[in-house]
């Protein structure tokens, strides 16, 4: 028994161990200081390149005051028509875009999961192609997707839905394939051992493990889509963005104030309730 | 039994035949080193040996959860190591498995877990839609009843204790109507009392149903109590093969490299 207690490393004295710990602590402090310097250089450089100028805020205080003055008397006559009507349209765009995106993304994400796919040459090929496509979809900003669809089919909420659908496919498939990659493989082994075929193994062994994540990721995507769909109208893709452009262009600050108030209330309400549901699921 | 069948039975006296099975992980680690083994039908065989000796790899090579590097495995005269696709899946039906970590689908109910033991029997379109036939459901309930855990049928698997989980895993294995049960350290995650309960069920499945059991286990006393025959592994090789009563100090030293207790 005692034989197993011996180790290859020679025993070190307490002062030696303390010196070693002290050396590590000094090194860590040095690293932290170096990190702080690097961060400072980065801020200074980007400050310079972006023409960052806090003085301009004071210099143009009267302009800012004019915009903010709208909040002292927001235009309630614009509340229902058009703001609330357009808010509803924004929510419809986000809901449909998210649902359609999820319907496409969920099957796709199994083909983008490394652990399921990289078990054969064919699987690896499909995996790499799907991953690449999803990266490209995500690399193109939602606003650019909206411009593309508006040019293709004209203005209105429909191109907005298509833009959010496209973006949602990229986001949901990424998040969900990562959930699939984190499953407990033992449960997969157990089903493989019953003689189940690969599709049966996924249906009965993988899907039950990832269902809560699927719901959570779709809800999260919906939150992001609500934010996006408030400005997609800037390029003609429906929703609240269209009237935002009008208010800013015509200097209608009381209406702009009303718009901001409604958007803040709507997005925070949806963010909070969606996040609350997500917390309960996972 | 007609002449042909008798001749075939004589040619394949063992239910399981393992010939020079070798598994190399990476480039150097030999988890299995030319292991040969014959297991007759109905035997309760315990595979003992220290951690990392290759017990689990041996069991997982039999149903090809682990792909052997070389060597051959026959079950019932059919060469498992030459099979693939649908043929391999049909062989796996005969070789049920239970695991140290139970490997139940934790978010599914107990009944659904046992039903997955029927997946290998689903035919045609059934395989592509969720759900199970009334016959499969009846079989699952019988297995649950057999393991005396039917009252938990509608409970989610992650709500069970370890011992209950392993009984559900055994019910899933039984629902598979196997000829062989591969038990990979089935009691290593259980307390001693529960371990005995689970092994009693395992012995009953072996004795009453005639299911051949290969059980990897590192508790020597439990192996001696339940096994008809014990084989021991060390560093990927078979270093002992005999009756439980013949496992003396000399054999023990050969297996563990020293005298002592776990």
């Amino acid at each position: 028994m005692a034989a197993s207690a011996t180790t290859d490393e020679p025993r070190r004295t307490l002062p030696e161990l303390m010196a070693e710990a002290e050396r590590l602590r000094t090194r860590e402090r040095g690293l932290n200081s170096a990190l702080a310097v690097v961060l400072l250089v980065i801020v200074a450089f980007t400050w310079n390149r972006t023409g960052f100028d806090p003085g301009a805020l004071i210099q143009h205080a009267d302009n800012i005051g004019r915009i903010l003055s709208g909040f002292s008397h927001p235009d309630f006559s614009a509340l229902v028509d058009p703001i609330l009507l357009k808010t509803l349209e924004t929510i419809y765009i986000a809901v449909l875009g998210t649902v359609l995106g999820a319907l496409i993304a969920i099957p796709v994400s199994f083909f983008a999961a490394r652990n399921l796919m990289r078990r054969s040459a064919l699987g690896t090929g499909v995996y790499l192609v799907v991953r690449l496509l999803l990266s490209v979809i995500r690399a193109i900003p939602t606003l650019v997707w909206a411009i593309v669809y508006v040019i293709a089919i004209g203005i209105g909420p429909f191109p907005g839905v298509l833009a959010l659908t496209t973006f949602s496919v990229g986001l949901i498939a990424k998040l969900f394939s990562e959930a699939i990659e984190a499953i407990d493989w033992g449960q997969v082994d157990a089903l493989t051992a019953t003689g189940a075929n690969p599709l049966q193994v996924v249906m009965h062994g993988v899907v039950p493990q990832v269902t809560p994540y699927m719901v959570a990721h779709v809800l999260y995507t919906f939150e992001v889509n609500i934010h996006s769909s408030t400005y997609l109208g800037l390029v003609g893709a429906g929703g609240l963005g269209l009237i935002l452009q009008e208010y800013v262009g015509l200097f209608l600050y009381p209406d702009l104030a009303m718009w901001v108030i409604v958007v803040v209330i709507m997005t925070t309400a949806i963010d909070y309730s969606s996040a609350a549901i997500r917390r309960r699921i996972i | 039994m007609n002449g042909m069948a008798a001749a075939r039975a004589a040619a394949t006296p063992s239910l399981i035949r393992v010939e020079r099975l070798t598994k190399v992980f990476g480039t150097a680690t030999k988890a299995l080193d030319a292991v040969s083994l014959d297991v007759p039908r109905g035997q309760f065989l315990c595979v003992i040996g220290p951690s990392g000796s290759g017990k689990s790899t041996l069991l997982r090579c039999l149903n090809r959860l682990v792909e052997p590097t070389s060597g051959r495995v026959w079950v019932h005269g059919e060469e498992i190591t030459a099979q693939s696709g649908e043929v391999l899946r049909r062989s796996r039906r005969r070789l049920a498995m239970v695991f140290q970590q139970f490997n139940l689908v934790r978010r599914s109910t107990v009944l659904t877990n046992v039903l997955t033991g029927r997946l290998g029997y689903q035919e045609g379109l059934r395989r592509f839609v969720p759900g199970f036939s009334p016959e499969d459901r009846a079989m699952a309930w019988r297995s649950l009843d057999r393991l005396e855990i039917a009252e938990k049928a509608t409970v989610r698997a992650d709500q069970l204790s370890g011992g209950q989980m392993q009984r559900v895993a055994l019910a899933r294995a039984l629902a598979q109507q196997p000829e062989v049960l591969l038990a990979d350290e089935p009691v290593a995650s259980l307390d001693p009392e529960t371990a005995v309960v689970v092994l009693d069920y395992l012995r009953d499945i072996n004795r009453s149903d005639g299911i051949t059991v290969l059980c990897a286990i590192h508790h020597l006393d439990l192996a001696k109590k339940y096994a008809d025959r014990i084989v021991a592994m060390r560093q990927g090789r078979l270093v002992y093969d005999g009756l439980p009563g013949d496992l003396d100090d000399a054999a023990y030293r050969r297996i563990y490299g020293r005298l002592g207790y776990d």
Side-chain angles (χ1 to χ4, degrees):
Chain A
M1 281 310 287
S4 64
T6 60
T7 58
D8 297 335
E9 264 183 80
R11 280 189 66 115
R12 291 184 296 175
T13 62
L14 191 59
E16 279 172 348
L17 291 168
M18 286 166 72
E20 169 75 2
E22 189 57 33
R23 202 175 59 77
L24 285 175
R25 205 164 72 96
T26 313
R27 200 177 69 173
E28 192 177 332
R29 251 193 260 141
L31 276 174
N32 284 345
S33 317
L35 212 64
V37 170
V38 168
L39 200 65
L40 219 79
V41 169
I42 289 174
V43 169
F45 178 75
T46 48
W47 181 299
N48 175 269
R49 305 310 297 174
T50 55
F52 195 86
D53 179 15
L57 284 173
I58 299 155
Q59 209 179 318
H60 301 293
D62 50 337
N63 285 341
I64 296 161
R66 255 200 302 281
I67 298 171
L68 291 180
S69 74
F71 285 94
S72 65
H73 53 285
D75 183 0
F76 280 90
S77 71
L79 176 60
V80 175
D81 185 8
I83 294 178
L84 280 180
L85 288 178
K86 284 292 174 191
T87 302
L88 275 180
E89 189 178 277
T90 291
I91 295 174
Y92 299 153
I93 293 171
V95 168
L96 190 56
T98 309
V99 171
L100 292 180
L103 287 177
I104 299 169
I106 287 168
V108 168
S109 39
F110 290 91
F111 296 97
R114 170 180 285 267
N115 53 349
L116 299 183
M117 297 301 289
R118 302 208 68 167
R119 305 170 71 74
S120 66
L122 176 69
T124 303
V126 173
Y127 163 84
L128 291 174
V129 170
V130 171
R131 279 267 149 162
L132 180 69
L133 282 177
L134 292 174
S135 302
V136 170
I137 288 177
R138 281 196 310 274
I140 298 170
T142 314
L143 201 63
V144 175
W145 281 117
I147 293 170
V148 169
Y149 287 120
V150 166
I151 294 169
I153 56 180
I155 62 163
F158 179 46
V161 172
L162 289 181
L164 290 188
T165 302
T166 312
F167 167 76
S168 303
V169 169
L171 182 59
I172 294 173
K174 176 192 163 72
L175 295 173
F176 194 39
S177 62
E178 278 164 11
I180 294 170
E181 285 169 359
I183 59 166
D184 167 20
W185 198 256
Q187 300 176 35
V188 172
D189 275 344
L191 292 210
T192 306
T194 67
N197 70 30
L199 183 73
Q200 290 174 312
V201 171
V202 168
M203 240 178 356
H204 298 271
V206 178
V207 171
Q209 291 193 57
V210 294
T211 309
Y213 296 94
M214 178 171 76
V215 178
H217 292 327
V218 169
L219 279 173
Y220 171 72
T221 305
F222 177 62
E223 291 165 40
V224 176
N225 281 345
I226 282 284
H227 288 272
S228 309
S229 63
T230 55
Y231 62 74
L232 287 184
L234 287 175
V235 297
L240 280 161
L242 187 69
I243 48 176
L244 172 67
Q245 197 176 28
E246 200 179 299
Y247 294 159
V248 174
L250 300 175
F251 310 110
L252 299 173
Y253 298 129
D255 300 79
L256 181 61
M258 198 69 240
W259 189 97
V260 171
I261 290 166
V262 170
V263 166
V264 167
I265 292 172
M266 188 246 324
T267 50
T268 17
I270 287 175
D271 271 4
Y272 270 86
S273 35
S274 168
I277 297 170
R278 283 194 285 129
R279 262 199 309 280
R280 290 188 64 173
I281 294 171
I282 296 188
Chain B
M1 192 185 271
N2 63 35
M4 276 292 281
R8 209 182 306 132
T12 57
S14 310
L15 178 61
I16 299 172
R17 165 157 237 154
V18 177
E19 200 180 87
R20 298 192 60 78
L21 198 62
T22 300
K23 174 64 187 180
V24 184
F25 285 111
T27 50
T29 327
K30 268 195 177 173
L32 289 180
D33 191 356
V35 171
S36 295
L37 181 68
D38 280 276
V39 186
R41 179 182 292 279
Q43 192 163 66
F44 195 124
L45 174 74
C46 278
V47 185
I48 62 168
S51 306
S53 59
K55 309 184 291 287
S56 180
T57 307
L58 172 63
L59 259 51
R60 283 164 179 263
C61 278
L62 298 189
N63 63 1
R64 301 257 307 268
L65 278 189
V66 167
E67 211 50 58
T69 309
S70 66
R72 304 204 273 182
V73 175
W74 289 268
V75 174
H76 229 294
E78 290 174 23
E79 193 189 337
I80 303 276
T81 37
Q83 296 176 342
S84 65
E86 195 59 39
V87 183
L88 174 61
R89 290 196 280 275
R90 283 188 182 273
S91 293
R92 280 179 175 150
R93 286 199 318 212
R94 297 174 162 166
L95 303 164
M97 193 169 209
V98 293
F99 304 82
Q100 176 177 354
Q101 296 304 330
F102 325 123
N103 290 352
L104 298 179
V105 180
R106 298 179 62 91
R107 299 186 56 85
S108 296
T109 64
V110 164
L111 180 63
T112 306
N113 268 283
V114 178
L115 279 165
T116 59
R118 301 301 300 165
L119 286 174
Y121 290 90
Q122 289 188 330
E123 300 283 349
L125 273 183
R126 258 275 173 238
R127 293 180 293 176
F128 300 99
V129 292
F132 293 87
S133 71
E135 295 77 31
D136 286 345
R137 292 183 164 275
M139 169 69 76
W141 279 106
R142 277 201 298 281
S143 302
L144 280 171
D145 193 36
R146 174 74 193 282
L147 274 297
E148 295 169 288
I149 191 130
E151 77 274 14
K152 296 283 184 193
T154 57
V155 174
R156 241 169 67 163
D158 56 7
Q159 303 299 308
L160 303 179
S161 69
Q164 291 171 331
M165 284 194 193
Q166 199 59 296
R167 276 154 66 194
V168 173
L170 281 170
R172 173 171 69 187
L174 264 193
Q176 213 171 311
Q177 296 178 288
E179 290 174 67
V180 178
L181 184 56
L182 306 169
D184 184 7
E185 294 281 6
V187 296
S189 305
L190 303 175
D191 63 69
E193 289 82 7
T194 316
V196 169
V197 171
V198 165
L199 286 172
D200 282 343
Y201 278 112
L202 204 57
R203 174 156 64 191
D204 181 56
I205 289 168
N206 170 251
R207 295 280 187 267
S208 309
D209 302 34
I211 294 173
T212 309
V213 173
L214 273 71
C215 179
I217 188 163
H218 67 260
H219 291 286
L220 188 62
D221 46 344
L222 290 175
K224 278 182 155 176
K225 182 177 170 197
Y226 288 93
D228 298 325
R229 171 188 171 196
I230 291 179
V231 297
M233 299 193 63
R234 188 181 179 190
Q235 293 174 349
R237 292 179 194 210
L238 225 52
V239 294
Y240 176 85
D241 184 348
L243 298 173
D246 296 342
L247 196 62
D248 54 15
D249 284 355
Y252 190 93
R253 216 175 279 115
R254 199 145 27 99
I255 301 163
Y256 292 96
R258 58 184 166 80
L259 266 181
Y261 301 95
D262 283 331

